[in-house]
Amino acid sequence: MTPPVTTATAAGAWQATHVFYAANPRPFLLHCVRPLVAELEEEGLLAGYFFINYWLEGPHVRLRLKPSSPAAEPEVARRTEQAVDAFLAERPALYEVDSGFLNDFYNTLFEIEFPGGERGHFTDERGRMNLRPNNSRHREPYEPEFGKYGGPAGIELAEWHFRHSSDLVIDALATKNLHLRTVLLGTAAQWMMVISSTFLPEKGELTGYLSDYYTFWHRAFPGTGFIGTDEYDRNYARTAEGLRDRFDRIRAATATGPDAPGPGALPGSLAGWAAHCAELRDRARRLALDGDLVFRSWDGERDERVTDPAAALPLLLSPYMHMTNNRLHVTIQDEAYLSHVLGRVLGESA
């Protein structure tokens, strides 16, 4: 059996805090989460953390913290509540998602993801999605998606990866002008190139994967107009040449073999991201070969043990890539656009 990803077997239980903040999460991540994590780690109270952005019951950040031991759990909880409350008091989000386009958008997502009887306590008397109070925090159960990430061993690997992905995004927020759309999409595109070419180095397979990834998002929102095609093609000509050259360089740097230049050939943070993605791929491949990855079937009816890395890696690549884009605050529409453009660039390259 594959040994655990970490040696902190006596760590405490994950704590999940949902912070409803109807604004760009950048200030919250830089001025609350980052110093909180640094402080807890410096004092030996933290074994891991990550965050995601989410929309259910209103836009919010789901912050997950893993205390270093059961004894540290109360102090981690206290420090988290104190830090979040202080931030919300000093820098509250002023926008309320109670009407207009955004609320309609979230309700469309809600109708697609929670059909019929699955809506439970998430709806109001009109059948629309409840909205939690803006600038509020709520302690919630931590519910890892075992079926999506390959069971307990896959979740442990995902949590290790999510820590790196969260650090990558927070560092980018601190150093890049991600408020500019061109910078945001350029950063996301390069990160997508790195992880996808690391997991799927063969050109034909990667081209097909990116095309299928776009198709998945296009079909996920039928009749909404959220995911386009014609406008994507109109934008393609303006970006294709630069993307093609960058994709070629990234694929060369992430290739394996004695003549490959290696991740160090990439500039700046891309080198570290590529090295991490290579280790992530190798760990995922090992888990598959050892029979430790168990996924839930698409129809939700059964568990499926996947032992072939060629089958396991694409299954993991999709949620890994999507959640990094999620942390970067890239919309689903933009993620679909990038996958469409990258697939077309790769397919048309020599």
Side-chain angles (χ1 to χ4, degrees):
M1 299 293 287
T2 301
V5 172
T6 68
T7 58
T9 55
W14 281 96
Q15 298 178 4
T17 302
H18 297 184
V19 182
F20 286 79
Y21 191 70
N24 190 299
R26 181 181 184 273
F28 174 67
L29 295 171
L30 287 182
H31 302 296
C32 181
V33 173
R34 193 182 209 185
L36 172 65
V37 168
E39 177 184 283
L40 292 173
E41 288 194 319
E42 184 178 354
E43 298 182 30
L45 296 171
L46 201 64
Y49 94 99
F50 65 91
F51 75 91
I52 67 171
N53 296 299
Y54 211 59
W55 54 269
L56 184 62
E57 297 185 292
H60 62 280
V61 174
R62 295 187 171 186
L63 176 62
R64 279 77 183 263
L65 300 170
K66 188 174 187 179
S68 57
S69 69
E73 290 176 6
E75 183 64 7
V76 170
R78 186 189 72 80
R79 299 274 191 97
T80 301
E81 294 170 0
Q82 182 182 58
V84 172
D85 288 347
F87 174 83
L88 294 177
E90 181 179 353
R91 300 191 63 167
L94 302 180
Y95 181 75
E96 296 288 345
V97 184
D98 55 4
S99 63
F101 167 76
L102 276 181
N103 196 27
D104 290 339
F105 175 68
Y106 292 133
N107 271 287
T108 301
L109 290 177
F110 182 63
E111 291 170 4
I112 292 171
E113 188 158 336
F114 293 91
E118 299 179 16
R119 299 183 180 186
H121 63 279
F122 294 125
T123 57
D124 60 18
E125 64 278 359
R126 296 177 299 164
R128 291 172 67 84
M129 182 182 70
N130 288 323
L131 292 172
R132 299 266 189 121
N134 192 19
N135 300 308
S136 66
R137 62 165 170 82
H138 306 265
R139 181 74 178 269
E140 300 289 345
Y142 174 53
E143 299 176 337
E145 296 180 278
F146 290 105
K148 179 183 293 185
Y149 291 101
I155 281 292
E156 188 176 5
L157 177 62
E159 290 166 348
W160 170 81
H161 163 60
F162 290 164
R163 165 62 194 263
H164 189 98
S165 175
S166 296
D167 284 343
L168 179 75
V169 169
I170 291 179
D171 287 344
L173 289 171
T175 58
K176 296 177 180 289
N177 294 321
L178 295 180
H179 61 283
L180 300 176
R181 178 173 169 79
T182 53
V183 177
L184 176 67
L185 295 187
T187 299
Q190 292 183 90
W191 292 359
M192 290 172 70
M193 291 181 209
V194 168
I195 191 169
S196 63
S197 59
T198 300
F199 272 57
L200 303 174
E202 199 278 315
K203 179 183 174 182
E205 184 180 14
L206 179 54
T207 302
Y209 171 85
L210 290 169
S211 176
D212 291 344
Y213 193 69
Y214 160 75
T215 300
F216 167 80
W217 288 119
H218 186 70
R219 291 176 177 171
F221 296 92
T224 64
F226 291 158
I227 310 299
T229 299
D230 294 341
E231 65 269 32
Y232 291 178
D233 290 331
R234 287 194 295 270
N235 292 331
Y236 174 76
R238 298 199 303 268
T239 60
E241 195 61 36
L243 284 175
R244 184 177 297 113
D245 178 66
R246 181 53 59 94
F247 214 161
D248 287 343
R249 294 184 182 186
I250 286 175
R251 291 189 64 238
T254 57
T256 57
D259 298 327
L266 295 174
S269 61
L270 281 183
W273 177 235
H276 167 78
C277 290
E279 184 176 0
L280 178 65
R281 174 204 60 205
D282 292 345
R283 290 188 179 196
R285 179 181 289 140
R286 185 74 261 163
L287 288 178
L289 291 172
D290 287 349
D292 291 335
L293 292 179
V294 181
F295 296 90
R296 196 66 175 167
S297 62
W298 282 106
D299 58 12
E301 296 296 323
R302 62 195 179 280
D303 290 332
E304 299 175 338
R305 190 175 303 276
V306 178
T307 58
D308 182 1
L313 290 179
L315 289 175
L316 291 171
L317 173 59
S318 295
Y320 288 165
M321 189 160 66
H322 174 59
M323 294 316 300
T324 298
N325 280 327
N326 168 282
R327 294 182 180 96
L328 197 54
H329 218 239
V330 170
T331 66
I332 292 173
Q333 297 99 310
D334 285 337
E335 185 175 11
Y337 163 70
L338 291 174
S339 60
H340 175 76
V341 169
L342 292 178
R344 186 172 169 184
V345 162
L346 189 59
E348 295 179 1
S349 63

